[in-house]
Amino acid sequence: WNLCRKQFYKFNMQELFYSRIGEGRPVVFLHGFLEDHTIWSDYAQQLSNNYQVITYDLPGFGKSPLPSEEAFTISDIAAQINQSLLKAG
């Protein structure tokens, strides 16, 4: 994780934490319930030799805060992740 870039993506006033490591075609990992992006650390490290690996903390897990103002759906989370990927290019 030495060259890992960790940052937040803000969408509709909500922050979503993600990390990026490696270069090349992107591979995106999403964690399950009660986990965070670190569940993928070993895979990300190995795959980063050939791919750009992006791991997210979903809302309310890890470093991503739980939205406090509004209810949200799985579709909302998918749209937020999609927007962050489009912005990253």
Side-chain angles (χ1 to χ4, degrees):
W1 289 102
N2 291 340
L3 299 175
C4 185
R5 294 168 290 215
K6 298 179 180 186
Q7 53 197 8
F8 286 91
Y9 175 74
K10 192 172 251 185
F11 178 75
N12 288 344
M13 302 306 293
Q14 298 297 325
E15 288 187 331
L16 189 66
F17 178 84
Y18 67 98
S19 66
R20 241 197 280 199
I21 186 171
E23 299 292 329
R25 294 186 68 167
V27 175
V28 178
F29 286 104
L30 302 174
H31 63 79
F33 186 65
L34 298 179
E35 298 173 329
D36 66 17
H37 76 282
T38 61
I39 194 76
W40 302 114
S41 296
D42 291 339
Y43 294 101
Q45 187 66 43
Q46 291 177 8
L47 289 171
S48 68
N49 293 326
N50 299 307
Y51 299 96
Q52 177 183 191
V53 181
I54 305 166
T55 59
Y56 286 89
D57 278 345
L58 299 176
F61 297 95
K63 296 181 181 180
S64 290
L66 185 64
S68 59
E69 304 271 331
E70 300 177 20
F72 61 94
T73 66
I74 296 293
S75 294
D76 296 332
I77 296 169
Q80 185 174 11
I81 290 169
N82 186 55
Q83 286 298 315
S84 73
L85 292 170
L86 291 172
K87 183 178 179 190

